[in-house]
């Protein structure tokens, strides 16, 4: 009977974390998304985002920085002045975020520090419209903590794509949000088979435990 190689057998998805191989990904936490006055009404989203998600992302980012873990941002942003480079889905959805604009910037509450990368994207999963995979493989990352907006859109796509490309994906449930809490919970249940599930507190504890010393 044939069997898998020993190194291909894992006890589960919860594996020890190595600081040099982990990265925190902050998706679309930008001014355009948080501009409630000019976006479609979704009170549950803004309540969650402002109530706990943004604060949790900030706490997690600080823990990652303190422990030598790469922090990477991606934002929706056109590459061209007229947005002709956008995906068809972005055009159909009327997503138009001018290059270099206030709308394209990460919100001040979780602003990047030092030389942390900010990668513009024009698709739901940044694996599909950027050189993100090339960059993180160069850095040597194989584990990604995924945070940001929206749980059932860009978070979902990124986690599934990352899993298919051979990365250990970690969903941080209270570091993301979508239009309603029901949709948020449904999305977590739908993609949990592709990732390790954590909360801000549990992941910070795991980082401290696994990377200290």
């Amino acid at each position: 009977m044939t069997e898998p190689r020993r190194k291909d057998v894992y006890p589960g998805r919860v594996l020890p974390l190595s600081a040099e191989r982990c990265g925190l990904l902050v998706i679309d936490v930008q001014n355009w998304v948080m501009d409630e006055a000019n976006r479609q009404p979704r009170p549950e989203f803004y309540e969650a985002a402002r109530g706990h998600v943004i604060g949790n992302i900030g706490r997690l980012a600080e823990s990652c920085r303190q422990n030598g873990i790469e922090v990477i941002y991606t934002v929706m942003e056109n590459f061209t002045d007229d947005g002709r480079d956008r995906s068809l889905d972005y055009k159909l959805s009327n997503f138009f975020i001018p290059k270099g604009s206030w709308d394209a910037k990460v919100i001040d509450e979780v602003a990047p520090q030092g030389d942390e990368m900010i990668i513009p994207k024009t698709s739901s999963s940044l694996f599909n419209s950027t050189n993100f995979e090339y960059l993180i493989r160069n850095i040597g990352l194989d584990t990604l903590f995924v945070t940001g907006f929206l749980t059932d859109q860009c978070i979902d796509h990124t986690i599934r794509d990352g899993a298919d490309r051979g990365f250990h994906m970690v969903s941080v449930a209270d570091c993301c949000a979508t239009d309603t809490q029901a949709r948020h919970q449904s999305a977590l249940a739908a993609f949990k088979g592709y990732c390790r599930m954590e909360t801000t507190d549990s992941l910070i504890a795991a980082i401290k435990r696994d990377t200290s010393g």
Side-chain angles (χ1 to χ4, degrees), residues 167-201:
F167 294 97
H168 298 284
M169 306 302 288
V170 181
S171 167
V172 192
D174 56 357
C175 277
C176 53
T178 189
D179 285 18
T180 68
Q181 184 63 20
R183 281 177 53 174
H184 173 72
Q185 293 297 333
S186 179
L188 295 176
F191 62 64
K192 66 180 181 180
Y194 294 87
C195 60
R196 170 176 171 174
M197 303 295 289
E198 296 284 354
T199 64
T200 305
D201 288 340

Side-chain angles (χ1 to χ4, degrees), residues 72-97:
I72 304 169
Y73 296 80
T74 186
V75 293
M76 295 179 286
E77 182 178 8
N78 301 347
F79 282 88
T80 55
D81 289 340
D82 63 3
R84 63 187 180 276
D85 61 285
R86 293 171 296 157
S87 65
L88 175 59
D89 178 65
Y90 271 34
K91 292 171 182 175
L92 292 171
S93 302
N94 196 29
F95 289 174
F96 187 93
I97 297 100

Side-chain angles (χ1 to χ4, degrees), residues 61-207:
E62 186 56 33
S63 176
C64 286
R65 292 177 183 122
Q66 290 174 356
N67 289 279
I69 293 173
E70 193 86 29
V71 179
I72 304 169
Y73 296 80
T74 186
V75 293
M76 295 179 286
E77 182 178 8
N78 301 347
F79 282 88
T80 55
D81 289 340
D82 63 3
R84 63 187 180 276
D85 61 285
R86 293 171 296 157
S87 65
L88 175 59
D89 178 65
Y90 271 34
K91 292 171 182 175
L92 292 171
S93 302
N94 196 29
F95 289 174
F96 187 93
I97 297 100
K99 179 174 59 176
S101 66
W102 179 85
D103 281 341
K105 294 187 182 302
V106 177
I107 63 173
D108 290 341
E109 293 92 327
V110 293
Q113 298 183 13
D115 67 349
E116 291 172 351
M117 293 184 291
I118 309 170
I119 305 173
K121 70 178 176 69
T122 53
S123 61
S124 290
S125 167
L126 77 168
F127 283 104
N128 295 323
S129 61
T130 77
N131 64 345
F132 173 68
E133 182 174 0
Y134 170 80
L135 294 172
I136 60 176
R137 289 197 188 279
N138 286 349
I139 294 169
L141 309 184
D142 64 14
T143 301
L144 296 173
F145 312 148
V146 184
T147 70
F149 310 131
L150 300 172
T151 317
D152 55 352
Q153 295 183 30
C154 296
I155 301 294
D156 185 323
H157 281 242
T158 300
I159 284 175
R160 293 173 190 263
D161 280 356
D164 277 351
R165 285 168 165 81
F167 294 97
H168 298 284
M169 306 302 288
V170 181
S171 167
V172 192
D174 56 357
C175 277
C176 53
T178 189
D179 285 18
T180 68
Q181 184 63 20
R183 281 177 53 174
H184 173 72
Q185 293 297 333
S186 179
L188 295 176
F191 62 64
K192 66 180 181 180
Y194 294 87
C195 60
R196 170 176 171 174
M197 303 295 289
E198 296 284 354
T199 64
T200 305
D201 288 340
S202 68
L203 185 53
I204 288 175
I207 289 169

Side-chain angles (χ1 to χ4, degrees), residues 43-64:
E44 287 186 56
F45 166 75
Y46 290 106
E47 181 181 1
R50 296 192 178 105
H52 65 272
V53 173
I54 292 170
N56 285 341
I57 292 173
R59 289 200 296 125
L60 183 56
E62 186 56 33
S63 176
C64 286

